[in-house]
Amino acid sequence: MRRFVLAALLCGLTLGALTCGGDESGGTGGAGAATATGGAGAAAGSGAGGGATGGGAAAGGSAGSGGALACGGDGDGCLTTFDCCPGNTCKQGTCNASTTCTSAGGLCTWANADECCSGACDGDSCCGFYGDACQNGFGCCLGSCIDGVCQCGAPDKMCDGACTSVLWDDANCGDCGTTCGFNQSCYDGACECVDTFDTINCPDGCYHLSQFGSDPDHCGDCTTVCAPGLICDLGQCVVCAFGLSECTPGTCVDTSTDPAHCGDCAIGCDATRDCVNGQCVCKPGTEPCNGACVDTQTDENHCGSCGHLCNGNKVCVAGVCT
C-alpha cells in the first residue's frame, strides 16, 4: 500500500510525464503531457503497462489542477524552443526530444545538418535558433548566445517568435503586444504623437484639441465625447462650427453670405440683393435708388442716374431717354 501511494504522489508531481503507474497492480494515470488545453489524466492502467499514457498529449495539464502548461512536449507545434518543455528543441515548427540530436556547437556538415537539434548547420558546426542551448557565447543562427541560450539581447524582446526592437516598433512599443494608436509612433519605448502641435496624447491615439474638425470622441481632452448631432470645434461640443450660426434647428449658415440670414438670423435680403460681408447689397448691374435696386440703363424713372425720368413716350436705352 505504501508503495502504491508513493508511486501515485511521484506521478502527480512530475509535470508532462508520459509514463506513470506501478509495475505490478497498475496505477492511476498521471497529469499528462504539457499542452495548451489542459485536462484530466488518463484512466488507471493495469498490469505492467498501467498508466502508460499518463493522460496523453491531448488531455495534459498541470498536476493537481488540470490547468494548461506553458510548454509543448514532443510532437507539439512551436515557433521557437522557448515554446517547448525542457529536454525538447523546436525543429522545423515541432518540439522534438533533444537527447538524440547534436546541440549547437557540435560538429556537422551540410549533408547531415538534419542531425542538429535545430536542423541547421553553419558549415562545420550546428547552430541554434531562439531558445536553443549554445556554448561559449557562440553557436546561434539567430539571436545572441547569452547565458548559454540563443536569445534576444537587451533591450529587444521576443515577440511572436522573433526578436523585436520594442523601443521603436509601433506594434510592440515598450512591450510585446502594445500597439500605438491613431497618429502615434513608438519612440524610445513609448507611443508619442507624430504631430505635436495642438495635440493631446491619449491612450488610443493623438488628437487635435482646438483645430477645426477635431475629433468629436476626444473634444478638448481624452474623455469628452460629443453627443450625437454635435461637432467638436475649438475644443467645444457645438452644433455649428466657428463662423457659422444655427438660425434654424439643426441648420448651420454663414450669415456673412446667406441672403436669407444676412448679418443676422432675422435679416433677409430681397430678390434684388445679394448678401456680401453680412450686408444686403444690390446685385451687379443695379444700384440703389430711393431704397430700391434699379438698372439705370433701362429704368425709365432712373435713366442713367437715380431720379432721371424719361418724359412723354421716351424709353430708357443704354442709360439715355430716347
Side-chain angles (χ1 to χ4, degrees), residues 114-133:
D114 193 59
E115 296 177 6
C116 297
C117 293
S118 64
C121 177
D122 64 10
D124 56 14
S125 61
C126 295
C127 59
F129 295 107
Y130 298 127
D132 291 343

Side-chain angles (χ1 to χ4, degrees), residues 285-290 292-310 316-321:
T286 66
E287 57 182 276
C289 291
N290 298 330
C293 294
V294 299
D295 183 356
T296 57
Q297 299 297 301
T298 60
D299 194 299
E300 295 175 358
N301 296 314
H302 306 280
C303 190
S305 62
C306 292
H308 185 262
L309 178 65
C310 293
C316 184
V317 179
V320 178
C321 292

Side-chain angles (χ1 to χ4, degrees), residues 52-71:
T53 59
S62 60
S65 66
L69 293 178
C71 63

Side-chain angles (χ1 to χ4, degrees), residues 3 5 14 23 58 64 116 122 125 196 202 220 242 249 274 286 318:
R3 184 177 184 180
V5 171
T14 304
D23 57 355
C116 297
D122 64 10
S125 61
T196 58
C202 299
F242 178 76
D274 292 330
T286 66

Side-chain angles (χ1 to χ4, degrees), residues 20-62:
C20 287
D23 57 355
E24 294 179 358
S25 61
T28 302
T35 67
T37 59
S46 62
T53 59
S62 60

Side-chain angles (χ1 to χ4, degrees), residues 211-305:
Q211 290 184 356
F212 172 74
S214 50
D215 195 290
D217 292 330
H218 308 81
C219 192
D221 57 40
C222 291
T223 59
T224 299
V225 179
C226 294
L230 300 182
I231 65 171
C232 182
D233 184 51
L234 300 179
Q236 299 291 323
C237 293
V238 296
V239 174
C240 300
F242 178 76
L244 302 179
S245 301
E246 186 185 15
C247 290
T248 57
T251 302
C252 300
V253 298
D254 184 353
T255 56
S256 68
T257 59
D258 193 319
H261 310 90
C262 190
D264 189 271
C265 288
I267 299 176
C269 303
D270 62 35
T272 64
R273 289 175 167 83
D274 292 330
C275 185
V276 179
N277 295 324
Q279 298 292 323
C280 292
V281 298
C282 292
K283 290 181 178 293
T286 66
E287 57 182 276
C289 291
N290 298 330
C293 294
V294 299
D295 183 356
T296 57
Q297 299 297 301
T298 60
D299 194 299
E300 295 175 358
N301 296 314
H302 306 280
C303 190
S305 62

